[in-house]
Amino acid sequence: MSTITNLTRMWLTRSIKPFIFTNEFDEQLSFAECRNLGLYVHIPFCSSICNFCPYCKIVYSKEACDRYIDALIKEVHMAGRQIKSRKAVTSLYFGGGTPALCAGRIKKIIETISKHFMITEGIGVELHPDNVNVPLLQTLKDAGVTKISIGIQSFGEKHQAVLGRKNVDISAIKNALKAVSFETVSMDFIFALPGQTFEDLKSDIDTAFANGANHIAIYPFIDFTFTESPVRTMAKREKRKLLDDITGYCLDKGYIRDSIWTFSKGENVRYSSMTRDNFLGFGCSATTLLQEQFKINTFSVEEYCGRIDKGLLSTSLTIRFTLRQRMVYYLFWTAYSTKVDPADFEEFFKVPLKKMYGFEFWIAKCLGFLREEKGVYHMTLKGAFYYHYYENFYTLSYIDKMWGLMQKEAFPSGMEL
């Protein structure tokens, strides 16, 4: 697995040089001129810990949460003071963890961010199904939230049991969503679980759209080495058929595919914290992607608060991109939206896509991964599956290794990928 990933990296970056992360960081972040800049805030607290979840999280306590939010507000001001006037940004997403556990302070965080940034495309918050009640939804809406994403994972009892989740009260969710409306209501599901069938996923999707959702996300189960999940992964051939069948079903129903894993009922219904050219991340484990660098904050809540209290950024690891490395990163996550526009690439890098990767895109077309329409590359069903397939390689070779290390060390000396 790592051999395939490394060979792909060397070919695409035209270098044997690995991705080198160091424990240094810039006090000043060069985001003032970044185009299509997005924002992300990580809230790591959960009422209980799901054994399959790889994200940075700890069990909630009010004292720890209040201290963390105080530090988070300071971090936002530290970044905001680096620009002379409010900067327009695309979107703001709160992830976790369970952001609803600090719902009463979400408004303060948004107000702080709004002193430095103008959010043009809405504010999204991830929710656990238990959070979907009228008082909490109204609190979020009053704070300025316009999009919510509910981590259902599965409505089916057999798969809820596999994931260690309890049954979802569908009627309670439907009634709450009727009472408090949002621009986007997304529901997340996991696919490629043991024994999962097309009928299982079809039922989940139909139930979601019948009970308040106008957007769904179907993420593949990935077996991270540092989690304690007993769930076994599905075989490649079985997974491909399941993905193709469910994609075909959604398209036949007239749903719009706006990324590899997501479908919506309308053109302007969006929920994605990933498909952005550049972004600033606030909070522990949050990442920041800029024109020439990528950095990730410490996973330790205690160390995060300590660094911020000292007036220092909580950056744990940083990579300084070569031009080719940045291009590969750009293309990988742009392709997540199922299309790549050469005009956008050229605007970002000031060089034509065909000059840099014309051969690779020609090969992808010949293999049936892409089709070209009016100068824009669109991913085929075959291409979408293989994107998913190689994303698994990327995730287990790179993200798994990095997050596994950072779960153990607050500030590693460095690492190579």
Side-chain angles (χ1 to χ4, degrees):
M1 183 179 295
S2 60
T3 300
I4 292 174
T5 308
N6 287 336
L7 288 173
T8 302
R9 170 184 53 76
M10 286 189 282
W11 172 260
L12 293 176
T13 62
R14 307 296 197 266
S15 172
I16 62 171
K17 181 181 179 181
F19 294 122
I20 300 173
F21 292 81
T22 64
N23 65 352
E24 51 86 30
F25 65 95
D26 294 333
E27 291 284 358
Q28 298 290 315
L29 298 172
S30 55
F31 64 86
E33 303 302 321
C34 284
R35 64 189 288 272
N36 295 332
L37 182 72
L39 305 177
Y40 174 76
V41 171
H42 190 76
I43 307 295
F45 300 97
C46 290
S47 297
S48 59
I49 305 299
C50 298
N51 59 16
F52 63 89
C53 176
Y55 299 107
C56 175
K57 70 277 184 188
I58 63 172
V59 175
Y60 172 82
S61 80
K62 186 177 186 308
E63 181 181 5
C65 186
D66 283 340
R67 185 188 175 206
Y68 178 82
I69 300 302
D70 290 343
L72 181 67
I73 288 170
K74 290 179 184 176
E75 185 188 18
V76 172
H77 282 310
M78 288 167 64
R81 284 193 292 265
Q82 297 181 25
I83 49 179
K84 295 179 181 179
S85 59
R86 291 174 72 209
K87 179 173 175 57
V89 297
T90 57
S91 52
L92 165 62
Y93 287 96
F94 287 82
T98 309
L101 291 172
C102 68
R105 300 196 68 185
I106 291 283
K107 184 174 183 178
K108 176 62 176 177
I109 297 170
I110 292 173
E111 288 174 345
T112 302
I113 289 172
S114 297
K115 290 178 181 178
H116 306 287
F117 303 96
M118 294 178 289
I119 302 160
T120 62
E121 296 178 15
I123 300 171
V125 175
E126 295 177 1
L127 298 175
H128 188 281
D130 291 348
N131 306 143
V132 186
N133 57 71
V134 172
L136 191 137
L137 294 183
Q138 192 62 56
T139 295
L140 294 179
K141 188 163 186 175
D142 292 344
V145 173
T146 59
K147 310 167 188 274
I148 59 172
S149 174
I150 307 168
I152 301 292
Q153 316 310 350
S154 176
F155 284 117
E157 291 186 15
K158 65 178 179 180
H159 293 115
Q160 289 168 353
V162 165
L163 295 170
R165 300 286 290 266
K166 64 182 183 179
N167 292 349
V168 177
D169 189 337
I170 301 171
S171 61
I173 289 176
K174 181 177 182 178
N175 291 336
L177 294 174
K178 274 186 176 180
V180 185
S181 62
F182 291 89
E183 171 190 305
T184 298
V185 175
S186 184
M187 293 188 186
D188 286 2
F189 300 95
I190 296 179
F191 93 93
L193 294 169
Q196 193 173 43
T197 67
F198 167 71
E199 290 299 325
D200 292 331
L201 274 173
K202 177 179 173 295
S203 175
D204 281 341
I205 292 168
D206 291 345
T207 302
F209 282 130
N211 290 277
N214 59 6
H215 183 278
I216 58 163
I218 310 171
Y219 297 110
F221 173 77
I222 298 176
D223 186 17
F224 288 88
T225 61
F226 56 83
T227 63
E228 299 178 357
S229 173
V231 181
R232 303 186 69 175
T233 55
M234 183 179 283
K236 175 185 171 183
R237 181 179 297 179
E238 191 179 355
K239 188 185 295 184
R240 179 174 181 180
K241 185 175 188 323
L242 186 58
L243 179 61
D244 285 353
D245 287 348
I246 209 64
T247 299
Y249 175 73
C250 287
L251 295 178
D252 287 344
K253 294 284 286 187
Y255 303 142
I256 298 167
R257 188 180 201 177
D258 48 37
S259 79
I260 293 290
W261 319 123
T262 60
F263 298 87
S264 64
K265 276 189 172 181
E267 286 283 354
N268 298 315
V269 178
R270 294 280 189 275
Y271 197 101
S272 175
S273 59
M274 291 186 283
T275 52
R276 297 178 289 175
D277 292 346
N278 304 282
F279 51 84
L280 288 176
F282 301 111
C284 64
S285 81
T287 57
T288 290
L289 173 67
L290 303 176
Q291 184 79 28
E292 298 178 352
Q293 67 169 286
F294 174 92
K295 77 179 193 75
I296 183 166
N297 288 349
T298 180
F299 274 49
S300 167
V301 172
E302 184 63 31
E303 293 291 346
Y304 168 81
C305 293
R307 282 283 282 268
I308 298 299
D309 286 346
K310 293 176 184 176
L312 297 171
L313 294 178
S314 64
T315 308
S316 182
L317 292 173
T318 298
I319 182 173
R320 310 287 179 180
F321 290 117
T322 66
L323 179 60
R324 286 276 188 176
Q325 286 176 340
R326 184 64 176 91
M327 287 177 174
V328 169
Y329 197 99
Y330 174 96
L331 289 172
F332 184 83
W333 287 112
T334 299
Y336 178 84
S337 70
T338 73
K339 65 181 181 180
V340 175
D341 189 336
D344 291 341
F345 180 93
E346 186 166 354
E347 182 180 353
F348 192 90
F349 292 105
K350 312 306 179 189
V351 61
L353 175 62
K354 287 189 176 181
K355 179 178 180 180
M356 305 305 293
Y357 291 106
F359 175 72
E360 287 81 359
F361 275 76
W362 177 77
I363 288 291
K365 284 173 62 181
C366 291
L367 293 174
F369 296 158
L370 297 173
R371 59 180 173 82
E372 191 173 356
E373 184 179 314
K374 296 181 180 179
V376 177
Y377 295 101
H378 296 266
M379 205 174 282
T380 63
L381 284 179
K382 181 179 180 182
F385 170 76
Y386 278 99
Y387 177 97
H388 153 69
Y389 188 65
Y390 283 103
E391 188 198 15
N392 274 355
F393 280 90
Y394 164 80
T395 298
L396 293 175
S397 296
Y398 293 157
I399 295 178
D400 183 90
K401 182 178 178 181
M402 175 182 285
W403 289 3
L405 173 64
M406 296 185 70
Q407 300 271 3
K408 298 174 184 176
E409 298 181 41
F411 299 100
S413 59
M415 71 180 303
E416 293 186 2
L417 296 176

